[in-house]
Amino acid sequence: MNLDHVFVCGHPALDFAATLRARRSSRFEVLVTPERLNAWYLESGLVDAITPGDEEDVREARTVREAVYRLLTNRRLGEEFDGDALAVLNGAARETPVTPQLTVAGRHNEATPGQALATVARQAVELLSGPDVPLLKECGNPECTRVYIDRSRGMRRQWCGMESCGNKLKAAAYRARKKTAPASSSPR
């Protein structure tokens, strides 16, 4: 089941936080059903197989996601961590994570939605306490609220991804320049 989830942020916890898009305007929720949540876990590569979830799994995932986003924002802006968000993330990180298994075909990760969420929470803890913190940036598209890791030379990356926001903004800027440019004079 491919639902075209977007993975452009450079880290699974960042992509998870981005499952609520356009937070400042239209707010597009990706995690609307247990099936969509499980599809995200599968498409992210976090698990190879996942047991069916329920509405409570969706509620828990959204709660952890919002805590991760709050903490990312705190860290990015140099603020103290929000205490409630910290408690939510640490509580989720204490749960049993995905446990890889070795099979004849190789590594296999089968999990419950709760185990997948605990794994995302642990990844967020590692990110928020690790060396990539200074590389966290928010997308330059005013409609986008994705946070990404900027590993570009000189940290000049402006968008979460060229495929998503970069091309849209570049095309809009080009159209705006063409509209305001003086009409070229005709050749003699």
Side-chain angles (χ1 to χ4, degrees):
M1 175 195 306
N2 185 343
L3 295 169
D4 298 320
H5 293 202
V6 179
F7 301 94
V8 296
C9 299
H11 192 279
L14 296 175
D15 288 317
F16 190 69
T19 59
L20 178 60
R21 300 200 184 121
R23 290 169 180 271
R24 287 187 284 272
S25 58
S26 57
R27 297 178 67 88
F28 177 76
E29 177 63 67
V30 173
L31 307 179
V32 291
T33 63
E35 294 76 23
R36 290 289 306 252
L37 173 63
N38 279 359
W40 188 92
Y41 290 139
L42 288 164
E43 289 176 40
S44 72
L46 195 64
V47 297
D48 302 309
I50 192 159
T51 59
D54 58 28
E55 291 301 323
E56 182 58 28
D57 292 316
V58 174
R59 277 190 293 281
E60 287 174 20
R62 286 180 179 176
T63 299
V64 171
R65 178 200 56 208
E66 292 310 299
V68 169
Y69 186 78
R70 175 80 252 149
L71 296 169
L72 283 167
T73 300
N74 292 153
R75 183 56 93 208
R76 203 173 45 74
L77 298 177
E79 302 170 347
E80 290 289 320
F81 281 139
D82 178 89
D84 292 338
L86 208 54
V88 166
L89 179 62
N90 287 332
R94 279 193 286 275
E95 298 300 318
T96 304
V98 174
T99 304
Q101 300 292 301
L102 185 61
T103 69
V104 175
R107 180 184 169 133
H108 185 75
N109 292 327
E110 188 166 332
T112 65
Q115 290 171 315
L117 183 59
T119 300
V120 170
R122 288 172 180 225
Q123 291 173 338
V125 167
E126 292 300 318
L127 173 65
L128 288 162
S129 63
D132 288 336
V133 167
L135 306 179
L136 295 175
K137 286 172 107 176
E138 187 177 65
C139 183
N141 178 351
E143 293 298 310
C144 183
T145 53
R146 286 187 189 112
V147 175
Y148 62 92
I149 296 175
D150 183 359
R151 296 188 194 283
S152 67
R153 180 179 293 173
M155 285 192 61
R156 289 196 213 133
R157 184 171 156 191
Q158 297 176 28
W159 306 290
C160 59
M162 278 305 292
E163 325 73 52
S164 46
C165 292
N167 282 337
K168 288 178 197 169
L169 288 174
K170 282 187 164 192
Y174 175 77
R175 285 191 302 275
R177 283 192 308 275
K178 292 296 271 183
K179 188 183 280 188
T180 59
S184 60
S185 58
S186 58
R188 295 182 194 205

